Amino acid sequence: MSHNHIACMKFIFLFISLFLFTNIFAQECGYKDYNELVSLANKQSKNKEYKLANSTFKKAFSSVNFPLGQDLGNALSVANKTNDESWAKEIAVKLAKGGVPIRYFTKLYKMNWYKDFKANFKAFNLYYKSQYNQVLKNRWIALILKDRYFNLNRYHAHREGKIKITLEELIAEASDISTELKTIVETFGFPHEKQIGYLYIQGQNRVIDYRSDVLLRHIYQRGEVLFKDTEIDNLICSGNLRTKDVFSQKSIGFWYGLGLETVMEKFYNRYNKN
């Protein structure tokens, strides 16, 4: 076999290897394209290009096995505006099976399928309760709310001089939040809507993302780095998170990776009013 032939074979092998690697990565990072398409669809909808948005949402949802709730809600609104009844019904059934209550859909009462949809709603609700982990969902929401309370009513309240709190209390309460997150992830994996269903907010009558990114940002601002960059990339590719920008080193700045106790001590001393 000639040197040229061997070189050619090596090149072909390298090309095939790169092609396979690229395709495997693309398959594993399915939500990257999905998020880009959803972002485009939302921009088109904002510009009142509803037919384009409708088409883009369809393309986005066909690229993954499990479209996310907030996107389904936005797509349902677009389908309604474009009178795409069959598409609206398909979306509504997905949302209903994912735990969204009947009151969310009453705006669609004029659609031809709505009467049957309402009649079948009990079956959709039973599907939701049997297929999704209610314990994990309640635990994840409780953690997000606990973090929100700590951030507003303890952390920032201390910074603003509204409360008296010890350094030890700040450290203990912040540590409880990150410990609970670690325990949940070790037990169940990082929560995904395909495990726990969609998040419906009754007061706003909206389906929104779980504030998982905000939870992580707060923990990172408190000096703890819980995941490697590659792990975060995997979570984004799997649809658990939208982006890592809000808790990247650039975004967090000085506090990034200093450790919980160090950050809390610096923070406490800076804003201690005593």
Side-chain angles (χ1 to χ4, degrees):
M1 190 178 289
S2 67
H3 288 295
N4 286 341
H5 186 70
I6 292 171
C8 182
M9 291 293 289
K10 285 182 178 179
F11 176 78
I12 291 171
F13 177 77
L14 178 62
F15 178 80
I16 291 171
S17 298
L18 287 171
F19 177 80
L20 288 172
F21 176 79
T22 303
N23 276 276
I24 289 168
F25 182 77
Q27 289 169 8
E28 289 178 349
C29 202
Y31 280 89
K32 181 178 183 295
D33 290 340
Y34 168 89
N35 284 327
E36 289 173 0
L37 286 167
V38 162
S39 178
L40 174 60
N42 286 328
K43 286 177 184 176
Q44 290 167 337
S45 178
K46 189 176 180 181
N47 293 332
K48 298 184 178 180
E49 300 171 323
Y50 297 123
K51 287 187 178 179
L52 276 175
N54 205 40
S55 176
T56 305
F57 273 125
K58 287 179 179 180
K59 189 175 179 182
F61 295 169
S62 68
S63 71
V64 294
N65 292 326
F66 194 94
L68 304 178
Q70 181 171 286
D71 308 326
L72 288 167
N74 291 336
L76 183 59
S77 176
V78 169
N80 191 20
K81 287 181 170 73
T82 56
N83 296 313
D84 191 341
E85 289 219 8
S86 61
W87 177 231
K89 180 183 179 182
E90 188 178 330
I91 295 169
V93 170
K94 284 182 189 294
L95 287 168
K97 286 184 172 181
V100 179
I102 188 65
R103 69 176 68 91
Y104 178 75
F105 305 99
T106 54
K107 57 195 172 187
L108 304 171
Y109 72 95
K110 290 183 179 180
M111 291 200 165
N112 293 321
W113 50 263
Y114 183 78
K115 188 176 179 181
D116 287 339
F117 174 80
K118 187 176 180 181
N120 290 324
F121 203 84
K122 187 175 182 181
F124 298 147
N125 192 245
L126 287 172
Y127 178 90
Y128 163 66
K129 289 179 178 177
S130 67
Q131 295 296 314
Y132 293 92
N133 190 330
Q134 307 298 320
V135 172
L136 175 57
K137 180 173 186 172
N138 292 337
R139 196 166 165 183
W140 192 238
I141 291 172
L143 178 59
I144 290 169
L145 292 176
K146 183 178 182 179
D147 171 73
R148 181 191 294 174
Y149 178 85
F150 173 78
N151 194 57
L152 291 175
N153 297 293
R154 307 294 277 168
Y155 186 83
H156 285 300
H158 165 71
R159 178 176 63 82
E160 295 163 5
K162 293 179 179 178
I163 63 167
K164 288 185 178 181
I165 187 171
T166 67
L167 173 60
E168 291 72 24
E169 285 173 317
L170 277 174
I171 291 172
E173 291 176 29
S175 181
D176 281 348
I177 293 165
S178 49
T179 298
E180 171 68 353
L181 186 143
K182 291 173 192 173
T183 302
I184 289 173
V185 173
E186 285 170 5
T187 307
F188 303 99
F190 197 99
H192 189 291
E193 288 180 1
K194 69 177 66 172
Q195 291 171 283
I196 59 180
Y198 303 124
L199 180 60
Y200 170 78
I201 304 298
Q202 183 174 341
Q204 301 173 14
N205 196 32
R206 288 178 60 211
V207 181
I208 67 169
D209 288 337
Y210 291 87
R211 298 305 188 219
S212 305
D213 56 342
V214 177
L215 171 62
L216 274 187
R217 177 174 174 81
H218 289 160
I219 290 172
Y220 275 51
Q221 283 177 324
R222 298 193 283 264
E224 294 190 273
V225 177
L226 300 186
F227 302 100
K228 298 175 183 175
D229 269 358
T230 52
E231 291 174 322
I232 293 293
D233 289 337
N234 288 338
L235 289 172
I236 293 169
C237 289
S238 301
N240 302 73
L241 296 168
R242 298 272 188 181
T243 177
K244 63 181 176 184
D245 292 344
V246 292
F247 46 89
S248 66
Q249 186 167 0
K250 182 179 179 182
S251 177
I252 300 301
F254 176 73
W255 305 118
Y256 188 91
L258 288 182
L260 175 62
E261 292 190 10
T262 300
V263 169
M264 287 293 103
E265 186 175 1
K266 289 179 180 293
F267 170 79
Y268 183 81
N269 291 335
R270 178 182 292 182
Y271 296 107
N272 191 12
K273 304 298 181 182
N274 295 329

